[in-house]
Amino acid sequence: AERAALAWLIALSEPKDVKNHAVVDIDMGGAVGGSIEYRRWLVHNIVSRGDRAIQILGIVKSHSIRVVIESPRGSAELLLDEASESDVGALIGAAGVSDILVNGLITYIHPGDVAVQLTSRPETKVFTVHDYTSCCPSYTLVNSQGLYCHGETDLDVCGRCLGARSMKESLLVPVATKAAMVDWRRAMRGLLESCSSIVCFSSDSEHVLQHVYPDISRVRVIEHTLREPPSFIRRDV
């Protein structure tokens, strides 16, 4: 533990004039996909301009948290136990970051709790919509009948769907009641409203998001390209 803490301090303190950026994301083991490729591209972009990327990654199933710090001087990695999930906001605060990219949440034990912590952070935040975790624990929006639900807004329907045995067995995060779904939507709405930009990668995902949260603003569509979110472009002063 002492060695890990020392690595953390060294990675964040040398050199002192490096700008820190936080990336909150999922760790699906060896899985690949657009979300993971986007994070890799973004981290490469951050490091190549001389800044430091602090990735806080929730690991699927084990629910441990992997912290990966990458900078022009190299990288460091820490593995934290699942109890550290309640300290994600504090970790970001301790790192002294200028901004936060929320790239994925579904592998955390309590994504809603992490969303609430991020909402309270004062840094500039960008939320990217790679899946529908912001709308439902069934992040593909496939319901208990195996059908795409298009983003249900009747939470009575959601409660019955999520409480079905087939859903309890398949969901990464077991949300099984209408009340829990109300909490989920409240937490995710708060996070979305706190972001300076919400990036969708298709017009379909934008439509679903704004169907579920019709009063959400600052939504941008970047179709099938990897262009840097505006708040992550370095501005020298």
Side-chain angles (χ1 to χ4, degrees), residues 6-229:
L6 181 60
W8 169 268
L9 291 173
I10 292 173
L12 290 179
S13 63
E14 297 296 338
K16 297 182 183 301
D17 59 348
V18 170
K19 198 173 189 179
N20 295 327
H21 307 267
V23 181
V24 178
D25 204 0
I26 63 177
D27 186 331
M28 298 289 284
V32 296
S35 171
I36 295 167
E37 288 305 312
Y38 185 82
R39 185 183 80 231
R40 288 174 177 167
W41 169 84
L42 182 67
V43 169
H44 172 77
N45 201 307
I46 289 170
V47 173
S48 66
R49 66 179 181 240
D51 291 352
R52 184 186 290 114
I54 300 161
Q55 303 167 73
I56 299 176
L57 312 174
I59 303 176
V60 68
K61 294 184 180 179
S62 76
H63 298 304
S64 303
I65 294 177
R66 191 159 63 96
V67 180
V68 182
I69 305 167
E70 296 191 41
S71 74
R73 289 197 171 192
S75 63
E77 184 170 327
L78 306 175
L79 187 63
L80 307 177
D81 64 27
E82 63 182 63
S84 299
E85 181 173 300
S86 62
D87 296 321
V88 165
L91 283 171
I92 291 173
V97 304
S98 60
D99 37 50
I100 304 166
L101 174 73
V102 186
N103 204 52
L105 293 173
I106 195 60
T107 55
Y108 291 88
I109 311 170
H110 303 293
D113 291 348
V114 176
V116 170
Q117 292 180 60
L118 295 173
T119 300
S120 68
R121 295 302 316 166
E123 297 86 359
T124 298
K125 293 185 287 288
V126 173
F127 189 100
T128 51
V129 183
H130 295 285
D131 57 40
Y132 295 113
T133 301
S134 56
C135 301
C136 182
S138 179
Y139 60 92
T140 59
L141 296 185
V142 173
N143 64 21
S144 59
Q145 304 301 312
L147 302 174
Y148 180 67
C149 81
H150 299 279
E152 182 58 62
T153 56
D154 185 338
L155 296 188
D156 287 316
V157 173
C158 293
R160 291 193 295 273
C161 171
L162 295 170
R165 177 175 294 182
S166 60
M167 298 299 278
K168 291 179 181 178
E169 294 172 351
S170 64
L171 293 175
L172 291 177
V173 182
V175 172
T177 66
K178 175 185 176 180
M181 191 58 179
V182 169
D183 291 341
W184 185 284
R185 289 270 172 93
R186 182 185 299 116
M188 295 301 173
R189 176 189 292 276
L191 176 56
L192 292 170
E193 289 177 342
S194 74
C195 290
S196 63
S197 180
I198 301 166
V199 179
C200 294
F201 296 94
S202 71
S203 56
D204 285 344
S205 60
E206 178 197 25
H207 176 77
V208 169
L209 190 70
Q210 298 202 307
H211 171 66
V212 174
Y213 303 110
D215 53 347
I216 291 294
S217 59
R218 300 180 295 280
V219 181
R220 302 171 59 233
V221 178
I222 304 176
E223 294 194 7
H224 309 297
T225 60
L226 293 179
R227 290 184 1 219
E228 191 169 20

